[in-house]
Amino acid sequence: MAENKKKVEAITSMDVDFAQWYTDVVKKAELIDYTSVKGCMVIKPAGYAIWELIQKQLDDRFKETGVENVYLPMFIPESLLQKEKDHVEGFAPEVAWVTHGGLNPLQERLCVRPTSETLFCDFYKNDIQSYRDLPKVYNQWCSVVRWEKETRPFLRSREFLWQEGHTAHATAEDAEARTIQMLNVYADFCEQVLAIPVIKGRKTDKEKFAGAEATYTIEALMHDGKALQSGTSHNFGDGFAKAFGIQFTDKDNTLKYVHQTSWGMTTRLIGAIIMVHGDDNGLVLPPKVAPTQVMIVPIMQKKEGVLEKAAELKTRLASFGNGIRVKVDDSDKSPGWKFSEQEMRGIPLRVEIGPKDIEAGKCIICRRDNGEKVEVALDALEETVASLLEQIQVDMLERARTHRDEHTYVATSMEELSEILDTKPGFVKAMWCGNQDCEDSIKEKYSATSRCMPFEQEQISDVCVCCGKPAKKMVYWGRAY
Amino acid sequence: MAENKKKVEAITSMDVDFAQWYTDVVKKAELIDYTSVKGCMVIKPAGYAIWELIQKQLDDRFKETGVENVYLPMFIPESLLQKEKDHVEGFAPEVAWVTHGGLNPLQERLCVRPTSETLFCDFYKNDIQSYRDLPKVYNQWCSVVRWEKETRPFLRSREFLWQEGHTAHATAEDAEARTIQMLNVYADFCEQVLAIPVIKGRKTDKEKFAGAEATYTIEALMHDGKALQSGTSHNFGDGFAKAFGIQFTDKDNTLKYVHQTSWGMTTRLIGAIIMVHGDDNGLVLPPKVAPTQVMIVPIMQKKEGVLEKAAELKTRLASFGNGIRVKVDDSDKSPGWKFSEQEMRGIPLRVEIGPKDIEAGKCIICRRDNGEKVEVALDALEETVASLLEQIQVDMLERARTHRDEHTYVATSMEELSEILDTKPGFVKAMWCGNQDCEDSIKEKYSATSRCMPFEQEQISDVCVCCGKPAKKMVYWGRAY
């Protein structure tokens, strides 16, 4: 029993200490484990299965837009990393360097890719000759390394898993269109699959990607009122193409530089799921990324026929429609323990079935997201479960949207901005003059950053919240992960 | 037209220069590209799509046996790598070392994983406490690095993609059973999915994995008569468990060491597909791993109705059964170019459809594997294509098996062994006394290695082919990749 207890013992309340609550959840829902490799984590089966569902559904959406997957080396020779000036400045301070191969020192040291723009450019330089070769719309699923000082599971680690799309186009318009297209794929994926509403917008120059002309972002609000950048899409213009000499012969028979984009999403999304949907009983998974969607818990399972009935219901659910992901917990723990475990792991639905239920031809279904219990006739089990899973997906998005909207404020002065950030954390909408000094000042004074200049602009006031000069843009500000 | 020509110009004949033929195929079928990173390759869309099909089908088979996927760090601290003596001796000479993180030297250098036994042991040490925690049957899909001097696309590169399964069991029997179970999964996968017949057996001590008690292997024969080790499964006994202190409390309340296994398959399988099935026109893909199974080539496509009919046939095929993977080549190249391209890329079936065919309500279907053409009524298209794809899969395995059997010889003396290896390359079955000196001698004299001691033993003679002492095992010998 000691072992069972370990799993279901109370976790820190999120209102008491959100950071500790997060750590408790990732450990007790068995998503990750720490390792002897500082700043790196083990993603355990319960965590990796979420990532597999994210990968599958995101990859399907990519392929619908014509994306092809490839794989490029994990190493970047130092001279290659240095070819684009802004890019190397942004990344060189935080890469891991390989200096020896086997027993010998390398002639040129290699960094472990922190991102692969330079490798794709080096590849495209030879692969692209003619307008007929364009566009190239390639993506890879891999791990990358950034030598972070402070790390937290899923949110910031020295190695993380992601996808990175890298495209090349004949015109600036095509590149911009793909940049926005992928941002929309990301936003739609977050809302429809992860049940996380996002703000779409453009990063300020201060916050954009090293080497990009424009960086677009989707920003989500966590339960504690902090923002999480959840996906980014960059338009490089022809900057990398000029640095690497990526030219093609166009239809008019002249040599032109390609226009490029890149876009990425990472295992950080699992952190977002935890912090948007979780509660004091643990993880709460949206059905579309729940490795197990239904846990059947037999009551008085030693009574004749109970385990058989549970197994029968499992088979029925597993073969319904496209297949519901279902398990039976037939371990020798008590039902109470099993309930707590199912809740900790965030499994969307629990089906309780005991001898009396069987006699009455019914069962109890309990929702993880809101705790509601319903009695359901066994004949109607499949339809009810399928429709509840759909409903949960919808309700979770709606609840997250309400939370986000209730924690989005407006500030027209530095005093207001300060008060909001200190007393009721969330997004703060405020006007900005476009000058980086004001951004720096807000960051320094309130530890808040510009999250994005949203596509949906509002005219809150005419002047910059910081300097009082004429305002150019409405910006979402916030403290962020 | 220059661009088209590049793709379909003649490749070196395999009989003239097999190595050059191989290089031509990987380049012209657009499977890979070379990079600025010495010894590493780009896997292009046509190559990566094959790997995705391999991954999906292998992963499904793993999961049917209870395997769970995880992800462990790519770095191994030097002290961790050194914990198991044989293992570090085997791998330390060929790893890449990270010595700097960002701008600072590391306190302890890290190697990029060449394989992850030590990381899994470090993880299991904490994760396994009780017999209730066993077995652990984990796997990860990732890339690994081995600092090879000579490299060849897919066959031997400094970085390659693979899966590595790592399991822990309560008893030696359970570990041995899992080792063999996974070898059987591999063998079945090679035969049923890749259409490659394999010899299952055990490696000699000289050839076994660094740190293993026993290594089992599947060995395939390439078209040129050389062997390719295509998958291995290792039983570690409790050697690693003792080195790392991985103990559990058994049912009898005593502390015991776990027994472990590992098993892996790599992108090398793509090399095997090329070298077993390819011909002088390029790649020949088994339908189950062909990203495109059918290429529809419209004839006189500018005539009214031809492209529309091709598109209609595509839609019909794509929605038949579980979906046939089909494309239409409606580019402005000539049909002849399109045929050559489809052949170079190894697409199993080509459907030719022109104005006369449409009028007659039929089309031509041509098989890539044997060049056979059949005329098919359009009404019967889906059924015919589906059944041809099945037939090709069967025929390709059968053809590869015949080639393998016809190139498997018996030697009872060193003279015979030598003559076979020099004049008609293939597997050579010969008896062995069990002494490593004889193995060394055969390797030194004939550049042939013991591929395996097959499970299906035969008593070819009573004495060792090398030293004449009493024989213990029949061994498959061969020159290998």
Side-chain angles (χ1 to χ4, degrees):
Chain A
M1 272 328 232
E3 188 194 355
N4 296 342
K5 191 153 180 206
K6 192 176 64 184
K7 284 179 188 158
V8 295
E9 71 195 0
I11 57 178
T12 308
S13 161
M14 63 200 315
D15 291 335
V16 170
D17 182 344
F18 193 80
Q20 186 59 47
W21 168 84
Y22 179 81
T23 307
D24 287 352
V25 171
V26 293
K27 278 289 290 176
K28 289 185 182 158
E30 301 192 13
L31 302 182
I32 69 113
D33 208 346
Y34 296 98
T35 70
S36 299
V37 191
K38 194 164 171 295
C40 297
M41 61 183 170
V42 168
I43 307 181
K44 296 174 76 169
Y48 199 81
I50 298 172
W51 183 239
E52 287 183 307
L53 287 165
I54 290 174
Q55 278 191 300
K56 174 75 176 68
Q57 292 171 85
L58 199 50
D59 199 68
D60 284 350
R61 284 163 191 248
F62 289 168
K63 285 179 177 155
E64 276 170 25
T65 75
V67 172
E68 296 182 290
N69 285 337
V70 297
Y71 188 78
L72 269 63
M74 71 152 80
F75 297 123
I76 307 174
E78 186 164 20
S79 56
L80 205 59
L81 187 68
Q82 289 172 336
K83 280 207 174 180
E84 209 288 332
K85 199 179 129 291
D86 291 336
H87 190 68
V88 66
E89 276 178 18
F91 283 103
E94 58 172 35
V95 296
W97 291 104
V98 173
T99 58
H100 287 70
L103 306 173
N104 304 312
L106 300 180
Q107 290 196 321
E108 178 182 14
R109 60 182 191 163
L110 307 169
C111 80
V112 182
R113 65 180 160 222
T115 178
S116 303
E117 276 74 13
T118 53
L119 290 166
F120 272 89
C121 284
D122 191 50
F123 167 50
Y124 283 147
K125 179 170 52 98
N126 300 316
D127 208 44
I128 296 170
Q129 311 288 339
S130 146
Y131 70 90
R132 288 193 195 85
D133 299 326
L134 296 172
K136 292 286 184 200
V137 187
Y138 289 171
N139 173 67
Q140 70 178 1
W141 292 92
C142 62
S143 78
V144 286
V145 168
R146 297 177 189 179
W147 219 252
E148 307 278 0
K149 290 198 179 62
E150 300 284 326
T151 62
R152 298 192 63 192
F154 295 121
L155 300 177
R156 195 172 291 279
S157 52
R158 287 190 170 168
E159 182 188 6
F160 57 90
L161 303 181
W162 80 345
Q163 59 67 217
E164 48 178 326
H166 295 268
T167 72
H169 305 268
T171 67
E173 294 69 33
D174 288 353
E176 179 68 9
R178 175 57 75 166
T179 313
I180 298 297
Q181 178 181 24
M182 298 318 291
L183 191 80
N184 286 332
V185 167
Y186 286 166
D188 188 64
F189 174 81
C190 280
E191 303 207 344
Q192 299 308 312
V193 178
L194 308 184
I196 297 175
V198 294
I199 304 289
K200 291 190 277 192
R202 182 172 172 169
K203 288 281 185 192
T204 61
D205 281 352
K206 175 184 167 75
E207 299 288 335
K208 74 180 181 187
F209 183 84
E213 214 165 68
T215 288
Y216 300 98
T217 180
I218 49 172
E219 299 283 327
L221 195 69
M222 304 298 103
H223 196 87
D224 63 345
K226 280 172 123 172
L228 188 81
Q229 176 179 305
S230 303
T232 47
S233 187
H234 315 291
N235 186 344
F236 293 117
D238 57 7
F240 274 93
K242 284 183 172 160
F244 283 80
I246 313 174
Q247 289 182 295
F248 67 100
T249 308
D250 206 351
K251 288 178 189 170
D252 61 9
N253 219 26
T254 63
L255 266 185
K256 293 179 184 165
Y257 287 104
V258 299
H259 289 72
Q260 291 173 271
T261 83
S262 81
W263 23 275
M265 271 193 162
T266 79
T267 32
R268 171 167 250 229
L269 289 175
I270 299 175
I273 294 169
I274 299 168
M275 293 195 291
V276 168
H277 300 301
D279 65 22
D280 280 347
N281 292 323
L283 193 61
V284 181
L285 289 172
K288 288 187 183 171
V289 289
T292 304
Q293 296 172 311
V294 180
M295 180 63 85
I296 300 175
V297 179
I299 312 294
M300 301 178 74
Q301 65 185 36
K302 285 179 183 157
K303 292 260 175 175
E304 201 187 320
V306 174
L307 284 178
E308 289 76 5
K309 180 56 85 176
E312 180 205 317
L313 299 184
K314 178 188 161 187
T315 306
R316 279 170 48 187
L317 289 172
S319 56
F320 185 73
N322 293 323
I324 291 166
R325 296 186 288 271
V326 54
K327 283 188 179 171
V328 174
D329 186 348
D330 56 6
S331 64
D332 55 9
K333 300 161 193 164
S334 73
W337 285 117
K338 295 179 186 179
F339 292 1
S340 298
E341 282 191 2
Q342 168 256 325
E343 286 168 9
M344 181 67 74
R345 290 164 181 271
I347 297 168
L349 287 177
R350 180 172 74 228
V351 171
E352 307 167 13
I353 179 94
K356 284 183 191 163
D357 301 307
I358 296 171
E359 221 179 282
K362 62 175 187 58
C363 66
I364 305 288
I365 302 185
C366 181
R367 281 173 65 155
R368 173 66 183 91
D369 66 319
N370 63 7
E372 277 179 20
K373 285 190 173 202
V374 285
E375 208 176 86
V376 176
L378 290 180
D379 289 344
L381 181 68
E382 294 95 322
E383 286 77 7
T384 309
V385 164
S387 105
L388 279 173
L389 290 173
E390 274 180 40
Q391 193 57 49
I392 291 171
Q393 187 78 33
V394 170
D395 290 352
M396 286 178 73
L397 174 61
E398 209 36 51
R399 212 173 295 129
R401 197 190 303 278
T402 302
H403 177 269
R404 197 264 316 267
D405 292 347
E406 285 175 359
H407 293 79
T408 300
Y409 309 96
V410 169
T412 53
S413 69
M414 288 290 262
E415 293 67 37
E416 267 186 315
L417 188 61
S418 157
E419 198 206 323
I420 293 167
L421 288 167
D422 285 342
T423 59
K424 41 185 183 178
F427 281 135
V428 189
K429 298 192 279 193
M431 302 307 290
W432 176 55
C433 60
N435 192 324
Q436 195 179 311
D437 291 345
C438 292
E439 248 185 305
D440 290 341
S441 170
I442 289 172
K443 186 168 185 182
E444 195 185 318
K445 285 184 182 150
Y446 311 130
S447 306
T449 47
S450 68
R451 304 314 309 153
C452 72
M453 301 178 285
F455 292 156
E456 290 184 22
Q457 283 284 314
E458 298 165 47
Q459 189 72 14
I460 289 167
S461 84
D462 296 331
V463 296
C464 176
V465 69
C466 182
C467 69
K469 288 184 188 153
K472 287 196 178 135
K473 284 280 180 188
M474 192 265 279
V475 169
Y476 273 83
W477 306 87
R479 292 180 181 149
Y481 282 96
Chain B
M1 275 326 237
E3 188 193 357
N4 297 340
K5 191 155 180 207
K6 192 178 65 188
K7 282 179 189 156
V8 293
E9 71 195 1
I11 56 177
T12 307
S13 161
M14 65 200 315
D15 291 334
V16 171
D17 184 344
F18 194 79
Q20 187 59 47
W21 168 85
Y22 179 82
T23 307
D24 287 352
V25 171
V26 294
K27 279 289 290 178
K28 290 185 180 156
E30 301 191 11
L31 303 181
I32 69 116
D33 209 344
Y34 296 97
T35 70
S36 299
V37 192
K38 195 166 171 293
C40 296
M41 59 182 172
V42 168
I43 307 181
K44 295 174 75 170
Y48 199 80
I50 298 173
W51 183 239
E52 287 183 306
L53 287 165
I54 289 174
Q55 278 192 301
K56 173 73 175 70
Q57 293 171 84
L58 198 52
D59 198 68
D60 284 349
R61 283 164 192 248
F62 289 168
K63 283 178 177 156
E64 276 170 26
T65 75
V67 172
E68 297 181 290
N69 285 337
V70 297
Y71 188 78
L72 269 65
M74 71 153 79
F75 297 123
I76 308 174
E78 187 164 18
S79 56
L80 205 60
L81 187 69
Q82 289 172 337
K83 279 208 174 180
E84 209 285 335
K85 199 179 129 293
D86 291 335
H87 190 68
V88 66
E89 277 178 17
F91 283 103
E94 59 172 36
V95 296
W97 290 105
V98 173
T99 57
H100 287 69
L103 306 173
N104 304 312
L106 299 180
Q107 290 196 322
E108 178 182 14
R109 61 181 190 163
L110 308 169
C111 79
V112 182
R113 67 182 158 221
T115 179
S116 303
E117 277 73 13
T118 54
L119 290 165
F120 273 89
C121 284
D122 192 50
F123 167 50
Y124 283 148
K125 180 171 51 104
N126 300 316
D127 208 45
I128 296 170
Q129 310 289 338
S130 145
Y131 69 92
R132 288 190 196 87
D133 300 325
L134 295 173
K136 293 284 185 201
V137 186
Y138 291 170
N139 174 67
Q140 71 178 0
W141 292 93
C142 62
S143 79
V144 286
V145 168
R146 296 178 189 177
W147 218 252
E148 306 279 359
K149 288 195 181 65
E150 300 284 326
T151 62
R152 298 192 61 192
F154 295 121
L155 300 176
R156 194 172 293 279
S157 52
R158 285 188 171 168
E159 182 188 7
F160 56 90
L161 303 180
W162 79 346
Q163 60 68 217
E164 49 178 326
H166 294 269
T167 73
H169 305 267
T171 67
E173 293 70 35
D174 288 352
E176 179 68 8
R178 175 56 75 167
T179 313
I180 299 297
Q181 179 181 23
M182 298 318 291
L183 191 79
N184 286 331
V185 167
Y186 286 167
D188 188 65
F189 174 80
C190 280
E191 305 207 341
Q192 298 309 312
V193 178
L194 308 184
I196 296 176
V198 295
I199 304 290
K200 292 190 276 192
R202 182 171 172 172
K203 287 282 186 191
T204 61
D205 281 353
K206 175 183 168 72
E207 299 288 335
K208 76 181 183 186
F209 183 83
E213 215 165 65
T215 288
Y216 300 98
T217 181
I218 50 172
E219 299 284 328
L221 196 68
M222 303 298 102
H223 196 85
D224 63 346
K226 280 170 119 173
L228 188 83
Q229 175 180 306
S230 304
T232 48
S233 187
H234 316 290
N235 185 343
F236 293 116
D238 57 8
F240 274 93
K242 284 183 172 160
F244 282 80
I246 314 173
Q247 289 182 295
F248 69 100
T249 307
D250 206 351
K251 288 177 187 168
D252 61 9
N253 220 26
T254 63
L255 265 183
K256 292 180 185 165
Y257 287 104
V258 299
H259 289 73
Q260 292 172 272
T261 84
S262 81
W263 23 275
M265 270 192 165
T266 79
T267 33
R268 171 167 251 228
L269 290 175
I270 299 175
I273 294 170
I274 298 168
M275 292 195 291
V276 168
H277 301 302
D279 64 24
D280 280 346
N281 292 323
L283 193 61
V284 181
L285 289 171
K288 289 188 182 170
V289 289
T292 304
Q293 297 173 311
V294 180
M295 181 62 84
I296 301 175
V297 179
I299 312 292
M300 301 177 75
Q301 66 186 33
K302 286 179 183 155
K303 293 258 173 173
E304 200 187 323
V306 175
L307 283 177
E308 290 74 5
K309 178 56 84 175
E312 178 206 318
L313 299 184
K314 179 188 161 185
T315 307
R316 279 169 50 186
L317 288 171
S319 56
F320 185 72
N322 294 322
I324 291 165
R325 297 186 286 273
V326 55
K327 283 189 178 169
V328 174
D329 186 348
D330 55 6
S331 64
D332 55 10
K333 300 162 193 163
S334 74
W337 285 118
K338 295 180 185 178
F339 292 0
S340 298
E341 281 191 3
Q342 168 255 329
E343 285 168 11
M344 181 68 75
R345 290 164 181 270
I347 297 169
L349 287 178
R350 178 173 76 230
V351 172
E352 306 167 13
I353 179 96
K356 284 184 192 162
D357 301 309
I358 297 171
E359 220 180 280
K362 62 175 187 60
C363 65
I364 305 286
I365 303 185
C366 181
R367 281 173 66 156
R368 173 67 183 91
D369 66 319
N370 63 9
E372 277 180 19
K373 285 191 172 201
V374 285
E375 208 177 87
V376 176
L378 290 179
D379 290 345
L381 180 69
E382 294 95 322
E383 287 76 8
T384 309
V385 163
S387 106
L388 278 173
L389 289 172
E390 274 180 40
Q391 193 58 47
I392 291 171
Q393 187 79 33
V394 170
D395 290 351
M396 286 178 73
L397 174 61
E398 209 37 50
R399 212 173 295 128
R401 198 191 302 281
T402 301
H403 176 269
R404 195 263 317 267
D405 292 348
E406 285 176 357
H407 294 79
T408 300
Y409 310 96
V410 169
T412 53
S413 70
M414 289 289 263
E415 292 67 39
E416 269 187 315
L417 187 60
S418 156
E419 198 206 320
I420 293 167
L421 288 166
D422 285 341
T423 61
K424 41 185 184 181
F427 281 136
V428 188
K429 299 193 277 193
M431 301 306 292
W432 177 54
C433 61
N435 191 324
Q436 195 179 314
D437 291 343
C438 292
E439 248 184 307
D440 291 341
S441 170
I442 289 172
K443 186 167 184 182
E444 196 184 317
K445 285 182 184 155
Y446 312 130
S447 306
T449 47
S450 68
R451 303 316 308 154
C452 71
M453 301 177 286
F455 291 157
E456 290 185 22
Q457 283 284 311
E458 298 165 47
Q459 189 72 15
I460 290 167
S461 83
D462 295 333
V463 297
C464 176
V465 70
C466 182
C467 69
K469 287 183 188 155
K472 285 194 180 140
K473 286 280 178 188
M474 192 266 278
V475 169
Y476 273 83
W477 307 87
R479 292 181 181 148
Y481 282 97

